Amino acid sequence: MIPEPWHTLLIVAVSIAAVIVMVLRFKLQPFLALLIVALGTGLAFGGEPASVIAAIKKGTGEALGFVAVVIGLGALLGGMLEASGGVTAIAHRLLGVFGEKRAPWALLAIGIVVGIPLFFDVALIILAPLVATLAVDAGRRVTWFAIPLLAGLMTMHALLPPHPGPVAAAELLHTDYGLMAIYGLICGIPAAIVAGPIYARIAHSAPGWGDMTPPPMLDEGAPQTKPVGFWFALVAMLVPLALIILGTVAGQAMAKGPVRSTLEFVGHPFVALVIACLLVLLWLRTTKGAPWATLSSIMTRALEPAGVMVLIIGAGAAYKEVLIESGAGVQIKELMAQTNISLLLFAFLLSAFVRVAQGSATVSMVTGAGLAAPLVAGAGLSAGQVALVTVALGAGASVASHVNDTGFWLVKQYLGLSEAQTLRSWTICATLAGLVMLGMASLLWNFV
């Protein structure tokens, strides 16, 4: 008989391996794979079948009650800004301000700003033609322009709401969303700078290398509206983030009263995203004359990819709840005490392991957060430290993007690179960003 806590660790390790094998080898949807593993893990820990089912229902219900709404609203906001040309307006304005010589820094800013409301793959496909055109005009490697953009997009995708990975991890760890946004920006912006313009200057500043033909646009037949201007698009992107941060600051710095209650209400992610969506929707309808039917079609199309992510997160939350109910978190905590690994590093390694093995950053964060949640709950951490654990999960989910990651193939395809070139550019960029995120979180750990 294997003694505790090694017996517990063995069950957890086998459960993670089972998810990876089912997703990679048998091409099972992560949603189904995670549910199967949640059921099997609960039974392996000796749980009664009825209690295992109850844990899965509890975990799924609690997570999706919040996560589904945030992801859905984020997808609506991003879809409307995409269809109205808001993303393109921001890109061209920032390039005009920075100039061609400082284009990598402009593209970094574009990646950070655009990466807040848009999913990584959507933003990449929209902006890839701009990157390719710049490369042709300047006679430089396409990666010279692309890496700063990718670094900005990726760090926001890994660290900030309303992206599914950070939202799921925050919900599983009970992270304060305002603090997550604050520390996500503090840790993410330096990571994007190092992995973006600095790395591009060191390794990708020579001319040539890569297909310079502008890649095709994504679904040119998609419904569009009249274009919005730069300032409106920028405000629409930043409104929800600003409201969330404002609500958190009010809750910590103001005395109880109607003003604080109001600011906390509008700063809740639900309300902040609803306000941003209504702002864009009414602007497109009243000032751009977009028909209601067109707006409805845009929003419906935007919600389609969000559904899969919501289900995966629900299944991941079910797995987390099974681990909590089984007492696995207590056993893993004892093992951590024996090995003297910090919780921050433990969260990073969990997420990075799943990321390397199966590719999806969202699944990596969900799985890592599920395992870390019992430890965080019993560790007596401050709210800021919980937010930094969420950053560490995002850092681990960013490293080592390779051939099992859909993002790897999107970058290769839309930048016209070979597999080896993509490994030497995008994979290194992603890994640098993840390591810097972890380093920044470690520096902040004792001050929050």
Side-chain angles (χ1 to χ4, degrees):
M1 182 71 179
I2 301 174
E4 296 288 2
W6 296 103
H7 177 259
T8 296
L9 184 63
L10 178 62
I11 294 176
V12 172
V14 169
S15 70
I16 294 175
V19 173
I20 293 164
V21 169
M22 283 189 279
V23 172
L24 292 184
R25 176 67 178 85
F26 298 105
K27 309 301 180 186
L28 222 59
Q29 270 288 330
F31 166 66
L32 180 57
L34 283 165
L35 275 182
I36 292 172
V37 166
L39 289 166
T41 301
L43 296 175
F45 277 119
E48 293 292 331
S51 65
V52 173
I53 295 295
I56 289 174
K57 289 172 63 178
K58 179 182 177 183
T60 304
E62 289 180 352
L64 293 189
F66 181 89
V67 173
V69 178
V70 173
I71 293 176
L73 290 169
L76 290 178
L77 178 61
M80 287 189 288
L81 289 172
E82 173 194 348
S84 62
V87 173
T88 303
I90 289 174
H92 285 292
R93 174 63 67 89
L94 289 176
L95 284 172
V97 170
F98 281 82
E100 185 177 300
K101 290 184 178 180
R102 294 186 293 274
W105 292 95
L107 288 161
L108 172 68
I110 291 168
I112 290 172
V113 174
V114 171
I116 293 172
L118 290 185
F119 291 165
F120 174 87
D121 52 354
V122 174
L124 170 60
I125 294 168
I126 293 169
L127 294 171
L130 173 65
V131 171
T133 301
L134 285 169
V136 171
D137 292 344
R140 284 183 174 270
R141 296 180 181 184
V142 69
T143 48
W144 165 254
F145 298 101
I147 285 174
L149 174 69
L150 295 172
L153 292 174
M154 176 184 55
T155 52
M156 298 302 101
H157 185 82
L159 298 180
L160 291 187
H163 295 291
V167 168
E171 187 64 14
L172 294 174
L173 300 182
H174 303 292
T175 308
D176 181 280
Y177 278 83
L179 290 176
M180 181 175 72
I182 292 169
Y183 290 120
L185 289 171
I186 292 173
C187 297
I189 291 176
I193 290 171
V194 172
I198 293 177
Y199 171 59
R201 184 175 184 82
I202 293 171
H204 297 275
S205 59
W209 189 21
D211 182 5
M212 296 297 180
T213 303
M217 292 294 288
L218 172 65
D219 196 358
E220 293 180 338
Q224 303 288 319
T225 70
K226 291 181 181 178
V228 297
F230 164 78
W231 286 111
F232 176 80
L234 183 64
V235 168
M237 284 183 175
L238 297 181
V239 157
L241 188 63
L243 289 176
I244 291 171
I245 293 174
L246 181 63
T248 296
V249 172
Q252 295 186 352
M254 296 180 65
K256 289 184 178 180
V259 175
R260 172 178 161 177
S261 297
T262 301
L263 291 176
E264 287 181 323
F265 176 74
V266 299
H268 190 281
F270 285 4
V271 182
L273 284 165
V274 166
I275 290 171
C277 286
L278 287 175
L279 175 67
V280 177
L281 181 67
L282 294 175
W283 185 268
L284 293 177
R285 175 65 185 136
T286 58
T287 69
K288 301 300 176 182
W292 286 115
T294 299
L295 294 172
S296 177
S297 177
I298 290 169
M299 290 187 287
T300 300
R301 291 170 67 91
L303 286 174
E304 290 172 359
V308 175
M309 288 298 173
V310 166
L311 290 174
I312 291 173
I313 290 166
Y319 174 56
K320 177 267 301 186
E321 193 63 31
V322 166
L323 291 174
I324 291 175
E325 295 292 336
S326 69
V330 175
Q331 298 295 332
I332 295 173
K333 184 177 179 181
E334 291 179 7
L335 183 62
M336 279 183 60
Q338 296 176 20
T339 56
N340 202 29
I341 297 176
S342 73
L343 182 54
L344 203 65
L345 180 59
F346 182 70
F348 172 82
L349 292 175
L350 282 174
S351 185
F353 172 75
V354 181
R355 163 70 159 176
V356 171
Q358 61 79 48
S360 168
T362 300
V363 174
S364 302
M365 292 193 71
V366 171
T367 306
L371 290 167
L375 308 180
V376 171
L381 302 181
S382 68
Q385 288 175 327
V386 175
L388 290 177
V389 172
T390 310
V391 169
L393 289 167
S398 301
V399 301
S401 170
H402 62 102
V403 295
N404 64 356
D405 177 19
T406 55
F408 176 92
W409 296 106
L410 279 171
V411 171
K412 175 193 176 298
Q413 179 67 26
Y414 280 88
L415 299 185
L417 303 175
S418 68
E419 287 83 356
Q421 290 167 343
T422 310
L423 286 168
R424 293 200 300 265
S425 55
W426 160 245
T427 302
I428 294 175
C429 167
T431 303
L432 281 173
L435 293 174
V436 175
M437 289 179 212
L438 176 63
M440 289 296 300
S442 300
L443 288 174
L444 294 170
W445 183 259
N446 292 322
F447 299 97
V448 299

